Amino acid sequence: MINLHNHTHYSVLDGMCKIDELVKRAKELGQEAVAITDHGNMYGVYDLWKTCKAEDVQPIFGIEFYHKVEGDNTRYHLIAFAKSMNGLRNLYKLHQLSYLNSEVGSFGKSYPILTYDMLYQHKEDIIISTACVGGYVPKLIQNGNYELANATLVEMKSHFGDDLYIELQANTLPIQRKINTQLISLSKIHNIPTVLTSDTHYIYKEDASVHE
């Protein structure tokens, strides 16, 4: 079993997993691959590749984009992974475009912003998932907008086909169970596979208080 949603210290003020420790822990647990999905950046890609090569573990290069949809000022989350070197190049291209489209948020923090148009223009060899409760489709479900959630998945599948996954998570958030139930229903309706992840920000449960 491989976790596909990990935040390293490159997710500044959010993730605290050091890449070398993350890879070594995954190997201890018998996991054959390690993914990183840092917020809005791919700065950990080289570190992951170098460490995984030394530990004989397969690296999975990903990113959790901030993205917006037309007519909506909310910053949503979207997970994307590279299927190949070509996919990695496309992720880097999207990474670049998102920073050129960045906006300033609270406390002067800059957020790189991706749009669906950007994503669809550079989608080749990329796998995407609907992300956590901060994803666009999960938020639509949370707000009771099932019709738009349904339409969005139809559109996404038309572009990504079998490279689209619905992401489920098991956590203590009160809304998560409702979102999971609806996501499972939508996955059956549209024949979109699901993937179960843990939105990891630290390696050991004893680190929770430190992370907080």
Side-chain angles (χ1 to χ4, degrees), residues 141-174:
I141 291 172
Q142 182 177 350
N143 295 330
N145 197 340
Y146 303 113
E147 185 175 343
L148 186 53
N150 185 78
T152 300
L153 285 174
V154 170
E155 179 186 349
M156 293 170 73
K157 187 174 182 180
S158 72
H159 287 277
F160 285 93
D162 294 337
D163 290 330
L164 167 65
Y165 287 80
I166 287 178
E167 185 169 344
L168 307 174
Q169 295 188 353
N171 53 50
T172 58
L173 296 175

Side-chain angles (χ1 to χ4, degrees), residues 53-74:
K53 185 177 181 182
E55 295 290 341
D56 193 28
V57 174
Q58 175 68 42
I60 299 175
F61 305 120
I63 180 173
E64 185 164 20
F65 283 113
Y66 297 106
H67 83 102
K68 284 190 168 184
V69 297
E70 188 175 353
D72 188 339
N73 287 324
T74 304

